[in-house]
């Protein structure tokens, strides 16, 4: 099975090698090590590929795939059980936000800025930082989703301040078939979902490990998997910016 549109010779730079070695050292057992190695060297393992949803986004950009591989390998190195959940559930599109969005999301769904305004609700999540830009560019009618875990983590990192905490929302292949998508021109790795993702189409919530029990209580009997994720920016030990420089 081909996991990538890019050959292995594209992933030979020094920073990528160093990050790969560091992530492999985190492996808790041989199975985890094999998964990390497969993702870093090939872009996937068995039936899983980091490019599973790439028809919506850039599949030929080396830096984009570098981000996809490293961020997913990083997740595996920290919480292999979370990767197992994502893999088993065929969850491949993600959205980073804050805990302040959870009550409305679990009641109605994940909504665009425009939909929130229509519903007369205040935008209180960290997305407020980009609200003015979205409104000005008439791009406030879609929810930004990504198949690059790093992009989702970055938005969650931004939120992980004070008493709040970051959240990564995930949807699966079946949900995507029921939603209206659009391609987005952006400097981020993103695709758009129009207006709303109803609660019943959300299948995954990634939160800091010490918040899993709390969020599970909030979720109640809804069929949403709540899993731990590495959402502490201060715990990062590598830079993707250096990896980008080495590709150009």
């Amino acid at each position: 099975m081909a996991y990538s549109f890019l050959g292995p010779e594209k992933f030979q730079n020094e920073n990528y090698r160093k990050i790969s070695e560091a992530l492999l050292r985190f492996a808790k057992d041989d199975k985890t090590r094999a998964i990390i190695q497969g993702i870093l060297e090939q872009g996937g393992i068995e039936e899983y590929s980091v490019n599973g949803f790439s028809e919506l986004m850039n599949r030929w950009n080396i830096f984009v795939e570098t981000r996809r591989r490293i961020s997913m390998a990083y997740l595996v190195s920290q919480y292999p059980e979370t990767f197992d959940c994502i893999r088993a559930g065929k969850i491949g599109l993600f959205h980073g936000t804050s805990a302040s969005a959870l009550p409305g999301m679990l009641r109605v769904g994940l909504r665009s800025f425009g939909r929130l305004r229509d519903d007369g609700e205040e935008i209180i999540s960290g997305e407020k930082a980009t609200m003015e830009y979205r409104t000005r560019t008439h791009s406030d009618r879609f929810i930004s989703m990504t198949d690059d875990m790093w992009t989702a983590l970055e938005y969650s990192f931004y939120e992980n301040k004070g008493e709040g905490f970051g959240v990564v929302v995930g949807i699966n292949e079946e949900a995507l078939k029921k939603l209206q998508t659009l391609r987005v021109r952006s400097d981020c790795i993103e695709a758009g979902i129009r207006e709303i993702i109803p609660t019943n189409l959300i299948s995954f919530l990634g939160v800091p490990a010490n918040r899993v029990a709390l969020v599970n209580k909030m979720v109640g009997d809804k069929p949403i998997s709540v899993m731990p994720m590495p959402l502490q920016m201060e715990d990062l030990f590598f830079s993707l910016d250096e990896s980008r420089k080495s590709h150009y």
Side-chain angles (χ1 to χ4, degrees):
M1 177 180 178
Y3 298 106
S4 177
F5 300 93
L6 300 164
E9 72 281 356
K10 300 289 187 180
F11 299 89
Q12 300 301 318
N13 72 80
E14 184 65 12
N15 195 54
Y16 191 83
R17 182 187 64 79
K18 288 180 178 178
I19 293 173
S20 297
E21 290 175 353
L23 292 172
L24 285 165
R25 285 197 292 271
F26 273 100
K28 298 175 173 64
D29 50 44
D30 290 342
K31 175 190 171 185
T32 304
R33 182 180 179 86
I35 293 171
I36 294 172
Q37 194 161 5
I39 290 171
L40 290 170
E41 293 181 0
Q42 303 176 66
I45 185 167
E46 297 176 356
E47 82 294 344
Y48 173 79
S49 170
V50 297
N51 287 297
F53 286 71
S54 63
E55 70 276 2
L56 295 172
M57 280 157 277
N58 193 324
R59 64 180 78 184
W60 295 104
N61 185 301
I62 179 62
F63 182 60
V64 170
E65 182 147 342
T66 294
R67 287 168 63 101
R68 286 187 182 119
R69 291 189 184 194
I70 288 178
S71 59
M72 192 55 72
Y74 176 56
L75 174 62
V76 177
S77 75
Q78 305 300 302
Y79 296 107
E81 67 275 23
T82 300
F83 173 75
D84 288 343
C85 174
I86 288 171
R87 180 181 176 184
K90 296 184 179 179
I91 299 159
L93 282 180
F94 303 94
H95 175 87
T97 186
S98 72
S100 60
L102 281 172
M105 189 192 312
L106 293 172
R107 186 180 73 253
V108 178
L110 187 60
R111 290 168 286 176
S112 68
F113 296 138
R115 182 61 178 264
L116 284 166
R117 282 199 305 273
D118 292 348
D119 292 344
E121 295 198 27
E122 181 185 3
I123 298 170
I124 56 175
S125 75
E127 292 157 346
K128 193 171 184 179
T130 57
M131 181 178 61
E132 290 183 6
Y133 169 78
R134 292 286 195 194
T135 302
R136 189 171 65 251
T137 58
H138 306 290
S139 58
D140 59 344
R141 287 291 174 180
F142 68 82
I143 301 150
S144 177
M145 302 294 289
T146 183
D147 67 347
D148 167 39
M149 181 62 74
W150 192 258
T151 296
L153 289 175
E154 282 183 318
Y155 278 92
S156 297
F157 288 152
Y158 177 79
E159 293 302 337
N160 204 2
K161 299 174 182 177
E163 295 301 314
F165 56 91
V167 175
V168 172
V169 185
I171 64 173
N172 61 24
E173 289 179 349
E174 288 304 309
L176 186 61
K177 294 174 184 176
K178 300 172 184 176
L179 296 166
Q180 209 176 357
T181 63
L182 69 155
R183 291 182 180 274
V184 177
R185 283 191 171 187
S186 171
D187 57 356
C188 293
I189 305 162
E190 63 178 333
I193 303 291
R194 292 190 186 276
E195 298 287 355
I196 186 170
I197 302 174
T199 305
N200 68 305
L201 295 184
I202 294 171
S203 52
F204 175 89
L205 292 174
V207 300
N210 64 351
R211 305 290 185 162
V212 169
L214 169 66
V215 176
N216 262 319
K217 287 182 181 178
M218 295 175 69
V219 167
D221 59 0
K222 296 179 179 66
I224 299 175
S225 298
V226 181
M227 301 297 295
M229 293 193 78
L231 295 176
Q232 301 287 344
M233 177 69 89
E234 59 270 23
D235 291 342
L236 288 179
F237 56 88
F238 57 85
S239 168
L240 282 181
D241 288 338
E242 291 179 18
S243 184
R244 180 172 198 163
K245 290 173 188 174
S246 63
H247 284 302
Y248 293 95

